[in-house]
Amino acid sequence: MAKAPPRPKADADGQGAAGEGPSGVDIEAFSRNLARMVEEGGKAMAAYLTPRAPGKTDDMADEIADALKTVGHVAEYWMADPQRTIEAQSRLMSGYLSVWSNTMKRLAGEEVAPVTAPDPKDARFKDEGWRQSPFFDALKQVYLVTANWAEDMVQEAEGLDAHTKHKAEFLVRQISNAVSPSNFVLTNPELIRETLSSSGENLVRGMKNLTEDLIEGKGSLKIRQTDMSAFEVGRNLATTPGKVIYENELMQLIQYEPTTPSVKRTPLLIVPPWINKFYILDLTSEKSFVKWLVDQGVTVFVISWVNPDARLAEKGFEDYMREGIMTALDQVAIASGERQAHAMGYCVGGTLLATTLAYMAATGDDRISSATFLTTQIDFTHAGDLKVFVDEEQLAAIERRMKTMGYLEGSKMASAFNMLRSNDLIWPYVVNNYMKGKAPFPFDLLYWNADPTRMPAANHSYYLRNCYLTNNIARGLAELGGVRIDMTKVSIPVYSLATREDHIAPALSVYIGANLLSGPVRYVLAGSGHIAGVVNPPAKVKYQYWADGPTGPSFDLWLDGAQEHKGSWWPDWVNWFGALSPEEVPARPVGGGRLTPIEDAPGRYVRERS
């Protein structure tokens, strides 16, 4: 057997031959890559500055001022009493000293339990380097001690109103997530290994990715969560066969082609959220809720909202009700030959549907025979972390921005949603894209997440004020078209789906809203979150759902008595739906011979990108 060539001898300073560093790093290549990284950094800076005209600043002043004011209220409480300040500082120092003491023992060869440990689900510290190295283990624990201490400071601050405390908790959590040592090259063992093994090539690629994302965002950082080139609406997303049978300036109405010889007599109209695009319910063919419904013999119609611009600035909630849902009902009746339809609303599309039902009940309109609400809030008392973005000062700032532009940019709402789960939807991609220099994996759901829509000023203002700010819709104080919206007048059968890990429409909030209605309500709680809990095909056999808990105002009592079922909630819904609509008729052609199709599904409106 041939002998391996001898290793280069190290010089007196420990550096290997031919410019190799002590750990085999090619110093010359590393230096070149650092120079290239600096060069790419200049391009990134140019991409950031170029769209900004002289004297024009980012519209962040209001947000920054509000954040400083909120955190300042917490600081005032602790600094108002010197004894309280000393106690808070002592608590933090005690945590640091415990970490220091344990680290010294570990370096001496002693086995010690950590002072604090991350949640087992926290993916930031899953690399073995965080446990194997006493230095990085101590760094991780110091960070966790600090983050927990900061959260405790907010929790224990007295004299703050509930909204200010909620905002402070959210802001402190965002700051803690941002300053995690996992987010920086020199404090993350995995990133250090990556940088040394590639001689810094990862940082060059990362800076190129940063430049590209700044260019794509026109000077704002648009973090890629997936390979955007891997998908295209109409090619491998939203491919269920159908036709656009009607359109106006707010929406297109799609009818899907039947796949069964007979169908349920009463058709189904789906009202998606206008702050996202409808194809979340028609992703790939394997994940498409729309396709599954069609295959169950349901005649499906879906509203595809327009991606509005300044020309639609004055379109409000009433317009979305009249020109959206109520106009769609007119066309569904023409195409199907049926006077009544079932309706299904997702998220804020469900909120719009609920208010429409209250309006129809007050005006004697009975064209909707049942309603399904998917992760829909009607009462916003417990609306979760999105409430931190809504108070009178913040709303005034949003409305000033919308008055100038005529709409709210889709990126603003997308950023807010991402911040609700920043350790899942922001920081992992910062590390992967800009520090590891890798491209994100193709993921259809994240492609949809990165395809937001704009919101007309009038509609968005009405929604924020009457839902999140005042809760007027639930309180019976909102009006549409001169009619008071009273949810207790809604007496048709309702299927209300919540998801257990929902950060946008918490399960408790959905439950309270469903209990405002007067008719029979089947409340179902699915596993997972706002999207994955809804888009859960039966073939995947993922998650579970709970149903048939005791009715009443207490969500906890309902949950304690509910029965757990394995797999998707979709079959449970179709059983409920089938009992309401058992009669079948021969499958209907698209348009029913009375409406001429305009174009193939998914139509033009959904393809318009913000």
Side-chain angles (χ1 to χ4, degrees):
M1 180 182 295
K3 293 183 178 179
R7 295 187 58 161
K9 292 183 179 179
D11 298 329
D13 62 359
Q15 180 168 305
E20 237 183 41
S23 56
V25 177
D26 187 333
I27 298 299
E28 292 181 3
F30 199 91
S31 299
R32 287 195 302 272
N33 284 331
L34 286 181
R36 291 171 59 200
M37 185 187 72
V38 171
E39 180 183 354
E40 289 294 333
K43 296 178 183 177
M45 183 60 70
Y48 172 77
L49 293 175
T50 299
R52 289 161 171 77
K56 184 178 180 181
T57 60
D58 286 325
D59 193 8
M60 291 289 292
D62 292 320
E63 289 89 340
I64 293 171
D66 184 74
L68 292 174
K69 180 180 177 181
T70 300
V71 176
H73 287 312
V74 178
E76 286 174 7
Y77 168 80
W78 289 102
M79 296 179 70
D81 183 343
Q83 181 62 32
R84 206 156 48 207
T85 304
I86 292 172
E87 289 175 359
Q89 292 174 339
S90 298
R91 194 189 313 178
L92 181 61
M93 290 303 107
S94 176
Y96 289 164
L97 287 173
S98 296
V99 173
W100 172 261
S101 174
N102 277 16
T103 302
M104 292 299 101
K105 292 177 182 178
R106 186 177 173 189
L107 288 171
E110 187 177 340
E111 289 288 336
V112 291
V115 174
T116 183
D119 188 289
K121 296 179 181 179
D122 191 342
R124 294 176 296 176
F125 304 106
K126 66 180 181 180
D127 186 80
E128 284 299 317
W130 293 106
R131 288 177 290 277
Q132 293 174 350
S133 165
F135 170 78
F136 287 112
D137 183 45
L139 183 64
K140 172 187 67 181
Q141 291 188 65
V142 165
Y143 162 73
L144 293 173
V145 165
T146 308
N148 293 337
W149 173 83
E151 290 182 7
D152 289 343
M153 292 300 97
V154 177
Q155 286 286 341
E156 297 170 17
E158 298 176 359
L160 302 180
D161 63 86
H163 179 67
T164 299
K165 179 169 281 194
H166 190 186
K167 284 172 63 178
E169 291 169 349
F170 182 80
L171 289 166
V172 166
R173 188 163 64 248
Q174 297 306 313
I175 294 168
S176 296
N177 293 347
V179 301
S180 169
S182 59
N183 296 336
F184 304 94
V185 173
L186 296 179
T187 54
N188 184 327
E190 183 182 9
L191 293 178
I192 289 175
R193 289 199 310 272
E194 182 90 26
T195 302
L196 293 176
S197 64
S198 69
S199 298
E201 182 69 33
N202 59 309
L203 301 180
V204 179
R205 295 194 305 266
M207 197 60 72
K208 287 182 178 178
N209 290 342
L210 178 63
T211 303
E212 291 172 2
D213 288 355
L214 284 168
I215 292 173
E216 176 68 20
K218 297 179 176 61
S220 297
L221 184 57
K222 187 175 183 179
I223 303 172
R224 277 175 290 178
Q225 297 172 323
T226 184
D227 179 0
M228 298 297 287
S229 65
F231 302 100
E232 182 183 348
V233 174
R235 177 174 62 84
N236 55 3
L237 298 176
T239 58
T240 302
K243 303 285 185 183
V244 174
I245 59 170
Y246 174 83
E247 68 182 33
N248 58 29
E249 61 182 350
L250 277 187
M251 62 92 176
Q252 290 188 318
L253 182 65
I254 300 170
Q255 181 181 359
Y256 290 92
E257 296 176 2
T259 59
T260 55
S262 63
V263 295
K264 302 294 183 185
R265 174 179 288 280
T266 308
L268 174 68
L269 171 65
I270 297 179
V271 185
W274 65 82
I275 61 176
N276 301 113
K277 295 186 176 178
F278 84 86
Y279 67 87
I280 186 60
L281 297 175
D282 188 24
L283 285 171
T284 61
S285 59
E286 297 81 11
K287 297 179 181 178
S288 173
F289 184 50
V290 168
K291 182 180 184 302
W292 187 84
L293 289 173
V294 171
D295 289 343
Q296 305 308 305
V298 180
T299 302
V300 178
F301 296 82
V302 173
I303 291 174
S304 174
W305 299 109
V306 72
N307 193 355
D309 56 24
R311 292 172 294 181
L312 300 177
E314 298 303 317
K315 292 292 184 180
F317 221 71
E318 182 180 346
D319 298 302
Y320 271 67
M321 177 184 75
R322 293 189 185 282
E323 299 176 37
I325 293 177
M326 299 183 82
T327 297
L329 287 171
D330 294 338
Q331 305 307 314
V332 168
I334 294 171
S336 67
E338 297 295 325
R339 191 181 70 84
Q340 286 192 316
H342 301 285
M344 175 182 288
Y346 191 1
C347 190
V348 297
T351 306
L352 176 66
L353 174 61
T355 56
T356 301
L357 288 171
Y359 178 90
M360 294 172 74
T363 57
D365 188 337
D366 66 348
R367 287 179 294 164
I368 294 179
S369 57
S370 81
T372 298
F373 297 121
L374 307 180
T375 62
T376 292
Q377 295 180 100
I378 300 171
D379 186 298
F380 284 73
T381 304
H382 303 282
D385 283 346
L386 278 177
K387 290 190 76 172
V388 305
F389 298 104
V390 184
D391 51 45
E392 189 56 52
E393 290 183 15
Q394 292 186 91
L395 258 181
I398 292 172
E399 288 172 340
R400 285 195 300 271
R401 186 183 305 134
M402 290 193 299
K403 186 176 182 180
T404 300
M405 302 186 69
Y407 56 85
L408 183 70
E409 310 95 311
S411 60
K412 294 291 184 182
M413 186 62 75
S415 295
F417 287 142
N418 287 340
M419 287 176 69
L420 299 183
R421 296 173 54 208
S422 59
N423 275 341
D424 296 320
L425 297 175
I426 295 178
W427 297 112
Y429 298 99
V430 169
V431 171
N432 183 78
N433 299 1
Y434 310 137
M435 297 176 195
K436 293 182 180 180
K438 296 180 179 179
F441 290 107
F443 189 12
D444 49 15
L445 195 152
L446 289 177
Y447 177 93
W448 168 85
N449 191 55
D451 187 17
T453 60
R454 298 178 287 267
M455 285 144 280
N459 185 38
H460 199 57
S461 180
Y462 182 96
Y463 171 61
L464 292 180
R465 287 193 172 277
N466 286 278
C467 294
Y468 283 95
L469 185 64
T470 64
N471 203 24
N472 276 346
I473 288 176
R475 294 164 61 203
L477 300 177
E479 287 191 359
L480 284 175
V483 174
R484 187 171 66 88
I485 299 303
D486 182 356
M487 298 309 307
T488 64
K489 292 184 180 295
V490 178
S491 58
I492 60 175
V494 164
Y495 188 104
S496 179
L497 178 82
T499 56
R500 192 154 194 174
E501 300 170 19
D502 200 328
H503 294 75
I504 296 170
L508 171 62
S509 184
V510 174
Y511 185 85
I512 292 172
N515 272 272
L516 294 175
L517 311 176
S518 298
V521 175
R522 179 166 178 76
Y523 178 85
V524 175
L525 180 65
S528 194
H530 192 73
I531 303 299
V534 173
V535 184
N536 182 24
K540 297 285 186 181
V541 197
K542 290 180 68 176
Y543 312 126
Q544 69 277 83
Y545 68 93
W546 292 262
D548 302 312
T551 58
S554 173
F555 172 70
D556 290 333
L557 288 178
W558 180 93
L559 188 58
D560 288 342
Q563 300 299 309
E564 180 178 348
H565 304 270
K566 298 297 182 183
S568 173
W569 60 273
W570 293 11
D572 181 76
W573 180 87
V574 86
N575 288 337
W576 173 85
F577 180 80
L580 294 177
S581 185
E583 187 178 357
E584 297 198 353
V585 296
R588 306 176 175 98
V590 171
R594 292 173 288 274
L595 293 175
T596 303
I598 297 170
E599 60 180 327
D600 289 337
R604 305 185 315 282
Y605 285 13
V606 75
R607 289 185 168 94
E608 177 65 31
R609 295 184 65 87
S610 297

